[in-house]
Amino acid sequence: MTGINATDQSGRSLQVNKDPRDIILKPVVSEKSYGLIDEGKYTFLVDPRASKTEIKLAIEKIFGVKVASVNTINRVGKTRRTRFGTGKRKDTKRAIVSLKSGTIDIFTAVG
């Protein structure tokens, strides 16, 4: 299991013992996310337990870019009626990542 080394705002060393690919699940491919790519913002589906710092470090490690900011959205799954009663889609978390430098090609496989 690989870890990510970084420093927080106060200069303390952080060790995140999660694989970056367990944090970043997949890119979001939609019309709205395409419009954000022109602004240098990329949208990803992430692990609901991941923090903004973990998301930032994972993106920097996987794609080799510098991240300016991370905004997250917790989406509650819809309740659906089924023939067996009510069911629920799973809750998801999205991260909109703004880059300082570099670009991400979400259509090619990365390492």
Side-chain angles (χ1 to χ4, degrees):
M1 186 142 140
T2 59
I4 303 170
N5 293 319
T7 56
D8 65 0
Q9 293 174 343
S10 62
R12 291 180 297 205
S13 179
L14 292 175
Q15 173 81 27
V16 180
N17 289 323
K18 293 182 183 175
D19 185 28
R21 299 191 186 280
D22 291 337
I23 296 171
I24 308 299
L25 302 178
K26 64 180 182 178
V28 175
V29 179
S30 68
E31 194 171 335
K32 188 172 185 178
S33 68
Y34 276 20
L36 290 174
I37 289 175
D38 296 336
E39 301 172 23
K41 297 180 180 180
Y42 297 86
T43 308
F44 295 94
L45 202 63
V46 298
D47 182 20
R49 298 164 296 192
S51 68
K52 289 184 180 185
T53 306
E54 291 172 340
I55 294 167
K56 176 183 176 182
L57 296 174
I59 292 289
E60 288 178 349
K61 181 157 182 153
I62 292 171
F63 297 105
V65 294
K66 287 290 181 187
V67 174
S69 67
V70 177
N71 295 326
T72 58
I73 303 131
N74 283 308
R75 301 180 71 202
V76 179
K78 288 184 178 181
T79 303
R80 295 276 117 197
R81 286 183 56 187
T82 65
R83 62 198 270 195
F84 305 110
T86 58
K88 185 175 175 293
R89 293 182 186 165
K90 67 179 182 176
D91 299 338
T92 58
K93 185 173 190 176
R94 288 185 177 192
I96 300 174
V97 179
S98 301
L99 300 183
K100 283 183 190 172
S101 62
T103 59
I104 297 174
D105 187 10
I106 60 173
F107 298 110
T108 58
V110 177

